[in-house]
Amino acid sequence: MLVLFLLFQLTWATSRPNVLFIGVDDLRPEIAGNYGQTQIITPNLERLANRSTTFLKAYCQVALCSPSRTSLLTGLRPDTTGVWTIGPYFRQTMGMDAGNAVVTLPQYFKQNGYTTTGVGKIFHPGTSSGGPSSGEGGGDGGYPFRTNGSWSKPYFFCDQFYNGTFQSPAAQQWPGSDAMGCVQSSSCLTCLRDAGGLTKHSKPAFLAAPCPDSCFPDGAVADEAVRQIEAYGVGKDLENAPPFFLAVGFKRPHLGWFAPKKYFDVYANNTDVVVAKHRFPPNAMPSCAFSGNGEMCGMDGVECAITNGSGTVHGYNLVVERQHLELRKAYYSTVTFMDAQLGKVLDALDRSGLQDNTIVVFWGDHGYQLGEHGEWAKITNFEDATRVPLLISLPHSVTNAQRDGQVQKTSDALVELLDVYPTLVEAAGLPPRGNKTQGKSLMPLINGTGAAHLFNASFSQITRIHQAHQGKMGISMRTEKYRYTEWLDFDGTHVAKIKATASLPELYTHKNENINDFDGTENVNLAADKQYANVIKKMHQELAMVWGGNQ
C-alpha cells in the first residue's frame, strides 16, 4: 500500500504544470500592447501578453513594496498580517502561533511536491521577510535558509544599493554556504566607476553607463533565471521530473534608474515622450492624501520646491518642472532594460521544451506616478500608484484540462494582487485553501465563464504615520464608476476603524474613463460637491459594510 501511495504521489506531482512567477518593482502598466502605450518600448511584454490574459484593472493592496508583496505572497490583506509599512515581518506582527501558521504561496507549492526556487526581489528583503538586517537576506527562509520556509534551496538574492553596488548575502560576504546571490565582476565595477557610479553615499536618480547588462541587478537576475530554467529543461526527463515553481524578481524600474546607456539612447531624441498634463495635486484634496515626494526629492540631483516656475505658492513639495521630461525618459529607459531581461527568460523557457506545461505570471508590486497630481513614485491611494500590470499565461495542459469557456485575452474586471495566490492554486490543480487566503481565483475570468459580477471593487490602503499627518490610514475603494477614499485615525499598530460618518473623504469619478490615460482622472475631489452627497453616503456605507468585516 505504501508503494502504491508513493507512486500515486509521484505521478500526481509530475503531472502538475510548472510555474514561472515574475515580479517587477515600481512598474506601472504604462507598457505597450494591450495597455495601449505606444511611446514606450516593451516588445517582450507584448509577446507575453499575446499568450496571456491581461487584467487591465488590477490593483495592489498597498502602494509600497514590502506590504504589497507580503499581501500577495500570503494571500492576506494588510489588516490581517499587520504589515502596512516596510520593516515589519508578518510572522512576527501576527503573533507566533498565527504567524507561523501562515503558508506562503511558494511554500504551499513546496508542500505539494514542487521544487521552489527564486532569484531577485520577490519578498522585500531584510527584516521585512525574516532577514538578519534591515536590507539583507530573509525572503522568508531564503537566508538564513530554513528547510520549513518558502524555498527548496537557499535563495539567490540580487538587489542594489543606491550607488549601484550589488546587494546580496554573497556580495556582502555574509557567513554560511547559504549566503547566495549576485556579485559584480571586477570589470563591471571598473565600468560603473568610470561612468560615475559606485560613489560612496551617493544616490543618483539615474545613471546611463556603457556597461553590459549583467553589471546591473536585472541582468544578473536574468542570467541566473536562465541558468535555472536550463537546468530544469533540455536534456532532462521532463515527464518524470517534479514540477518547479521559479520566482524571478526584477528590480527596475525602481529608483535609482541605473541601466546600460544603450537603453537610455532609445529615448534620448524620442519626441513621443511627454510630461504629465496635470502636475498639481487634485483640487480640494485633503493634504494627508499627498505623499510628500520624499523618495524622489531625496535623490541626488533632483530639485524640489513649494513653488512652481511662476512663483505661485501651492503648499506641496513638488519636483521642479524642468526636470520632469528627463526623469520620465530615465524611467522609461529602465523599463525597456527590464523588458529586455524578461525576453532572455522567455527565450530560455521556449528553448527548454517546458513552455507547453508552464504557467507564467507577470505582476508589478504597485503602480508609479511620474508627475501626475504632482506626485512622483508611489505611497498614495491614487489610481496611478495602485494600478498594476498583471498578465497570466496558462499552457495548453491547463486550459485544455480546466477550460469551460474561451480563454480571454483581456479582462476589465476589478481584480487585486490578493487574487493571484488562489488563482495559481486552482490553475495548478492544487487543493483549494478556502478561508486561509482572502482573495478570489481569477480562473473564471480567464476561462470566460462569467463571475465578473464578483469582481466589482478593489481595495487599497496607505499610512501617514511618518509625516506631519501622523495617525492616518487611507482606505480606498475603486469601483467601476468611482474611487472613494477615507482617512481614518490610525495608531500604527491596530486596525483603523471606520466611523459613523465619512472621515476626510475623497471622491473621484471614473465614468467614461480611458483606462490607458494615466493623466485623465482623479484631478478634482468631488466629496464637497453637494450634488454628490448621496454618492458619498452610499460609498461610505458600502466601505463600512465591506471593510468593517476586513474583507
Side-chain angles (χ1 to χ4, degrees), residues 382-459:
F382 292 125
E383 182 83 358
D384 291 348
T386 58
R387 183 169 164 245
V388 300
L390 179 60
L391 293 81
I392 300 178
S393 173
L394 300 182
H396 294 302
S397 61
V398 172
T399 56
N400 289 342
Q402 299 190 10
R403 182 175 61 188
D404 294 319
Q406 177 65 41
V407 172
Q408 304 298 295
K409 297 302 295 179
T410 62
S411 170
D412 60 3
L414 291 156
V415 305
E416 302 176 293
L417 287 182
L418 198 68
D419 300 326
V420 171
Y421 190 146
T423 302
L424 287 180
V425 167
E426 181 177 353
L430 304 186
R433 303 232 53 218
N435 62 6
K436 299 294 185 181
T437 58
Q438 294 177 304
K440 301 182 289 287
S441 173
L442 302 176
M443 288 300 291
L445 297 176
I446 295 171
N447 286 331
T449 56
H453 65 284
L454 298 176
F455 299 87
N456 54 12
S458 66
F459 298 86

Side-chain angles (χ1 to χ4, degrees), residues 458-476:
S458 66
F459 298 86
S460 304
Q461 57 192 120
I462 202 73
T463 63
R464 293 286 182 259
I465 57 176
H466 298 301
Q467 301 180 10
H469 309 287
Q470 293 195 11
K472 293 296 181 185
M473 171 71 79
I475 306 293
S476 191

Side-chain angles (χ1 to χ4, degrees), residues 7 9 15 85 93 102 165 187 250 266 278-279 363 371 382 385 420 444 550:
L7 285 173
Q9 288 289 90
S15 65
T85 60
T93 57
V102 171
T165 304
S187 60
F250 290 120
V266 171
H278 300 96
R279 297 183 295 278
W363 53 274
F382 292 125
V420 171
N550 194 28

Side-chain angles (χ1 to χ4, degrees), residues 453-514:
H453 65 284
L454 298 176
F455 299 87
N456 54 12
S458 66
F459 298 86
S460 304
Q461 57 192 120
I462 202 73
T463 63
R464 293 286 182 259
I465 57 176
H466 298 301
Q467 301 180 10
H469 309 287
Q470 293 195 11
K472 293 296 181 185
M473 171 71 79
I475 306 293
S476 191
M477 178 171 65
R478 174 65 154 91
T479 68
E480 181 181 358
K481 294 181 179 179
Y482 299 102
R483 174 174 296 282
Y484 178 71
T485 303
E486 290 191 18
W487 291 92
L488 313 176
D489 293 337
F490 180 58
D491 63 8
T493 302
H494 300 94
V495 173
K497 300 297 183 183
I498 293 178
K499 299 178 180 180
T501 57
S503 177
L504 294 175
E506 295 176 80
L507 180 71
Y508 304 101
T509 182
H510 281 268
K511 294 180 180 178
N512 304 315
E513 70 177 346
N514 173 5

Side-chain angles (χ1 to χ4, degrees), residues 65-119:
C65 303
S66 179
S68 175
R69 291 165 182 266
T70 296
S71 178
L72 187 158
L73 291 162
T74 61
L76 301 172
R77 292 195 181 276
D79 280 6
T80 302
T81 64
V83 177
W84 300 286
T85 60
I86 291 176
Y89 176 33
F90 68 92
R91 297 201 191 276
Q92 297 172 349
T93 57
M94 296 178 70
M96 182 177 293
D97 292 340
N100 288 334
V102 171
V103 179
T104 69
L105 174 60
Q107 188 178 13
Y108 190 62
F109 275 77
K110 177 182 170 183
Q111 290 178 355
N112 282 276
Y114 278 69
T115 298
T116 60
T117 59
V119 51

Side-chain angles (χ1 to χ4, degrees), residues 73-336:
L73 291 162
T74 61
L76 301 172
R77 292 195 181 276
D79 280 6
T80 302
T81 64
V83 177
W84 300 286
T85 60
I86 291 176
Y89 176 33
F90 68 92
R91 297 201 191 276
Q92 297 172 349
T93 57
M94 296 178 70
M96 182 177 293
D97 292 340
N100 288 334
V102 171
V103 179
T104 69
L105 174 60
Q107 188 178 13
Y108 190 62
F109 275 77
K110 177 182 170 183
Q111 290 178 355
N112 282 276
Y114 278 69
T115 298
T116 60
T117 59
V119 51
K121 185 177 179 181
I122 294 296
F123 285 91
H124 192 85
T127 54
S128 296
S129 55
S133 74
S134 61
E136 300 290 350
D140 198 38
Y143 176 81
F145 179 65
R146 297 200 325 265
T147 56
N148 63 345
S150 295
W151 310 103
S152 302
K153 303 175 183 178
Y155 194 87
F156 189 94
F157 292 89
C158 192
D159 210 314
Q160 182 176 326
F161 291 105
Y162 276 112
N163 72 347
T165 304
F166 276 9
Q167 184 178 13
S168 73
Q172 274 65 64
Q173 298 181 339
W174 281 77
S177 59
D178 54 346
M180 306 290 287
C182 57
V183 178
Q184 280 160 315
S185 67
S186 58
S187 60
C188 282
L189 294 173
T190 298
C191 184
L192 288 167
R193 286 195 190 99
D194 290 346
L198 308 185
T199 303
K200 193 173 183 179
H201 304 307
S202 66
K203 293 179 64 176
F206 59 87
L207 179 71
C211 308
D213 290 4
S214 58
C215 293
F216 303 84
D218 288 350
V221 164
D223 290 346
E224 174 62 17
V226 167
R227 187 195 68 78
Q228 292 196 27
I229 290 171
E230 289 176 345
Y232 286 126
V234 174
K236 303 299 188 296
D237 184 0
L238 300 185
E239 291 187 1
N240 295 311
F244 67 80
F245 181 108
L246 173 57
V248 179
F250 290 120
K251 175 74 171 181
R252 298 293 172 257
H254 191 290
L255 281 169
W257 295 320
F258 281 52
K261 183 178 179 296
K262 61 185 177 182
Y263 298 102
F264 282 80
D265 291 343
V266 171
Y267 297 97
N269 299 309
N270 189 331
T271 58
D272 292 332
V273 180
V274 295
V275 300
K277 298 186 294 291
H278 300 96
R279 297 183 295 278
F280 297 94
N283 294 339
M285 175 196 77
S287 59
C288 56
F290 193 76
S291 74
N293 280 328
E295 184 176 13
M296 180 58 78
C297 292
M299 304 302 293
D300 296 347
V302 176
E303 184 178 348
C304 298
I306 61 167
T307 59
N308 65 16
S310 302
T312 303
V313 175
H314 46 67
Y316 293 99
N317 195 34
L318 305 186
V319 176
V320 296
E321 293 198 358
R322 66 177 176 273
Q323 292 187 311
H324 284 210
L325 183 61
E326 181 181 41
L327 291 172
R328 182 177 285 253
K329 285 185 175 182
Y331 177 88
Y332 286 2
S333 300
T334 56
V335 172
T336 297

